[in-house]
Amino acid sequence: MPRRKTQSTTEILSVLKAAESAMSHQMIEDALDIEVDRATIYRVLNRFSEDGLVHRVVGENGKQYFALCEDCEKHDHNHDHFHFRCNKCGKVECLTREIDIKLPENYIAKNFNGMISGICADCA
């Protein structure tokens, strides 16, 4: 069943499209040009994640960040890559370099969510 397009969903999507890196709920709320209650923002972000429009990144402190999916094939949709959060500016970005993880024998990885924190190139 197709999702209903509301002003809230359109505005939140617009904010994510304009973002240069993953954004937290608070960052999205601050960037909105219209008044949208917190529960609606969470609901829209969860729906976007379920629909494969954004991917959810969980920081080491449990804080969630959302990034618009780019170059994702709907049928091969995964985000098994690491992310980097700058301790100085707060930017969260996808790391495109592959990182090889060796699992013990007979273990099969289905997905993972990795966050590395430190100082980004812009702040170094």
Side-chain angles (χ1 to χ4, degrees):
M1 179 162 110
R3 303 278 191 183
R4 201 178 71 163
K5 288 187 180 180
T6 65
Q7 185 178 10
S8 299
T9 58
T10 302
E11 290 292 325
I12 293 168
L13 184 58
S14 178
V15 166
L16 289 168
K17 284 181 178 179
E20 294 181 8
S21 63
M23 299 178 75
S24 68
H25 177 281
Q26 187 64 54
M27 295 164 87
I28 293 167
E29 186 176 354
D30 292 344
L32 288 170
D33 290 331
I34 62 170
E35 186 78 24
V36 181
D37 67 87
R38 296 179 66 78
T40 298
I41 296 171
Y42 279 117
R43 193 169 42 255
V44 169
L45 291 172
N46 285 332
R47 192 174 319 128
F48 283 173
S49 182
E50 289 169 9
D51 292 348
L53 192 57
V54 300
H55 67 279
R56 181 188 324 260
V57 181
V58 181
E60 68 278 2
N61 60 357
K63 191 172 192 175
Q64 296 181 23
Y65 299 86
F66 298 86
L68 193 64
C69 294
E70 296 179 21
D71 301 323
C72 293
E73 296 297 324
K74 199 68 166 157
H75 301 290
D76 188 22
H77 188 83
N78 76 49
H79 296 286
D80 294 343
H81 56 267
F82 281 91
H83 299 86
F84 187 91
R85 185 180 64 78
C86 180
N87 294 332
K88 200 168 187 179
C89 70
K91 178 171 64 174
V92 175
E93 57 190 322
C94 297
L95 297 177
T96 55
R97 178 180 283 168
E98 256 185 57
I99 298 173
D100 187 27
I101 298 175
K102 304 271 190 230
L103 293 175
E105 191 174 329
N106 296 322
Y107 282 72
I108 300 169
K110 293 294 183 182
N111 65 52
F112 68 87
N113 182 17
M115 176 72 76
I116 300 169
S117 63
I119 306 297
C120 72
D122 294 335
C123 293

